[in-house]
């Protein structure tokens, strides 16, 4: 009799306030960073489930989980990588960047870690292959998550390429496209891999030291004789006919519209 009564009390208490063991993660893992949040705050997953496949639903592991630790050195490395690889020449992340490829802020939280790794390690379409390994990819993912819209915001823009402008397309393809590629307002251009991807060359996000950022005048000197600009440059000079430099410049011009795009429909 007394035993039954006690059990009833215990059930009632459990219903009112679940004990801490309700966080299934702690059945298998030690706790850490408790002052910075709960397990699923940083790692996602499902803390009600005890089977790993369910508990690890949409898990964020490895360096990617550092998104939730503001003072983490992983984030310092991630910012340096993002800027030296020039992700913002094509994407908006953290609210800044050219609008030549998908708005990362609006999608990063909707993706799994495996999908993000795949996108970074085996890039599709016009995204350059930076030869990233899984750890570096996860490091980049940490900063994309930190700066992204956690609650799945609407995209701030749709990627649209300009129709027409045949002259600039032909000039880039003929003069540069055998060695370079670029994503431009006219879409993807060039097929070459000998030289770097020139997307956003004349914009603020192209990875160049601030004292030698690319501008039309510097590009003209470079094309006339690369070694006059950088000793040891391996690109051969490019002979330009009148009008061709302008056409190439139009193609590579800083493409972000000044005002934010109006929401779609
Ligand atoms: C039944 C035991 C079990 C439960 C419950 C469980 N895990 Fe795990 N977890 C594991 C095992 C085993 C591994 C190592 C093998 C693997 O990756 O699956 C692991 C790996 C991990 C990793 C490292 C993965 C990586 O890629 O770096 C993280 C992070 C993690 N778990 C977080 C969680 C969180 C958060 C929860 C709760 C929402 C949780 N786990 C619940 C057993 C469990
Ligand atoms: C503030 C963010 C944060 C919170 C909260 C957090 N973690 Fe982590 N966790 C990380 C980071 C970042 C890593 C990567 C390694 C590191 O920095 O320690 C990690 C790594 C792990 C790993 C992999 C460990 C290894 O050695 O590979 C497991 C498992 C894990 N966490 C489980 C948990 C569990 C369980 C909880 C809840 C008690 C939790 N984490 C809470 C950020 C967090
Ligand atoms: C030359 C332009 C360019 C550069 C530079 C670039 N990307 Fe991309 N990226 C693309 C294109 C194009 C896609 C294809 C997806 C789309 O736009 O719809 C893409 C796709 C992605 C995706 C997948 C998006 C999704 O929908 O899941 C991620 C994540 C991503 N890029 C991250 C990065 C990061 C991080 C960097 C810097 C290391 C970077 N990108 C540099 C052009 C670029
Ligand atoms: C025969 C191949 C070739 C052609 C054609 C070519 N390039 Fe290059 N380009 C390269 C190589 C290789 C590099 C790397 C040079 C180096 O840094 O030593 C380069 C580098 C550059 C750079 C420097 C980028 C940086 O980040 O430092 C710019 C700018 C550039 N090219 C613009 C152009 C333009 C514009 C055209 C067309 C008008 C063009 N190139 C045609 C091979 C070529």
């Amino acid at each position: 009799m007394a035993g039954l009564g006690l059990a009833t009390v215990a059930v009632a208490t459990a219903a009112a306030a679940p004990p801490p063991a309700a966080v299934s993660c702690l059945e298998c893992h030690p706790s850490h960073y408790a002052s910075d949040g709960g397990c699923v705050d940083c790692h996602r997953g499902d803390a009600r489930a005890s089977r790993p496949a369910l508990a690890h639903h949409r898990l964020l592991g490895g360096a990617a989980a550092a998104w939730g630790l503001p003072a983490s050195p992983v984030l310092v490395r991630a910012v340096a990588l993002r800027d030296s690889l020039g992700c913002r020449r094509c994407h908006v992340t953290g609210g800044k960047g050219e609008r030549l490829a998908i708005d990362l802020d609006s999608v990063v939280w909707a993706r799994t870690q495996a999908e993000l790794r795949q996108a970074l390690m085996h890039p599709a379409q016009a995204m350059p292959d930076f030869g990233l390994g899984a750890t570096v990819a996860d490091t980049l993912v940490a900063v994309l998550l930190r700066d992204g819209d956690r609650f799945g915001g609407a995209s701030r823009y749709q990627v649209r390429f300009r129709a027409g402008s045949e002259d600039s397309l032909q000039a880039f393809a003929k003069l540069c496209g055998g060695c370079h590629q670029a994503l431009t307002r006219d879409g993807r251009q060039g097929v070459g891999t000998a030289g770097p991807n020139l997307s956003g060359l004349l914009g603020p996000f192209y990875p160049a030291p601030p004292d030698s950022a690319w501008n039309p005048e510097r590009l003209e000197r470079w094309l006339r004789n690369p070694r006059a600009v950088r000793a040891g440059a391996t690109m051969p000079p490019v002979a330009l006919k009148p009008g061709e430099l302008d056409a190439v410049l139009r193609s590579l011009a800083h493409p972000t519209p000044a005002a934010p795009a109006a929401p779609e429909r």
Side-chain angles (χ1 to χ4, degrees):
M1 288 303 229
L4 258 180
L6 272 179
T8 312
V9 170
V11 167
T13 312
V23 177
S24 66
C25 323
L26 296 171
E27 292 168 21
C28 305
H29 297 293
S31 177
H32 70 165
Y33 301 127
S35 58
D36 296 287
C39 314
V40 297
D41 291 333
C42 290
H43 290 290
R44 297 200 294 216
D46 185 342
R48 299 163 303 179
S50 294
R51 276 190 288 158
L54 299 177
H56 290 166
H57 180 63
R58 299 174 58 73
L59 190 74
L60 295 170
W67 78 267
L69 285 168
S72 171
V74 172
L75 289 172
V76 176
R77 283 201 296 279
V79 166
L81 272 166
R82 178 196 66 197
D83 294 343
S84 65
L85 298 175
C87 310
R88 285 174 164 165
R89 313 177 253 170
C90 295
H91 296 284
V92 167
T93 165
K96 295 199 190 83
E98 317 278 11
R99 299 167 170 212
L100 291 167
I102 196 159
D103 178 359
L104 293 177
D105 291 339
S106 70
V107 295
V108 66
W109 279 96
R111 303 288 185 250
T112 64
Q113 189 167 359
E115 286 167 343
L116 293 167
R117 271 194 194 165
Q118 175 73 15
L120 291 168
M121 294 169 66
H122 307 286
Q125 302 176 30
M127 168 141 161
D129 189 343
F130 297 108
L132 306 178
T135 306
V136 175
D138 285 354
T139 301
L140 278 163
V141 166
V143 74
L144 300 183
L145 289 168
R146 183 196 69 183
D147 294 347
D149 187 341
R150 207 176 165 183
F151 304 102
S155 195
R156 260 168 300 241
Y157 59 90
Q158 298 288 313
V159 177
R160 284 222 187 79
F161 299 117
R162 221 166 32 179
S165 53
E166 286 300 314
D167 60 335
S168 54
L169 283 174
Q170 280 167 16
F172 190 93
K174 181 177 80 160
L175 298 166
C176 325
C179 299
H180 292 282
Q181 296 178 37
L183 195 55
T184 73
R185 282 182 298 174
D186 303 307
R188 181 184 188 170
Q189 296 194 49
V191 294
T193 52
N197 187 302
L198 297 178
S199 303
L201 181 73
L202 303 169
F205 303 108
Y206 189 85
D211 56 339
S212 57
W214 291 93
N215 56 38
E217 177 274 328
R218 188 158 188 265
L219 184 61
E220 185 176 15
R221 276 195 289 131
W222 173 266
L223 295 177
R224 213 181 305 126
N225 181 7
R227 290 194 186 178
V229 176
R230 186 190 300 156
T234 53
M235 174 170 142
V238 178
L240 295 164
K241 297 204 186 76
E244 284 182 332
L245 178 65
D246 279 349
V248 169
L249 286 172
R250 271 201 302 284
S251 201
L252 292 172
H254 175 43
T256 300
E264 293 293 303
R265 256 161 286 214

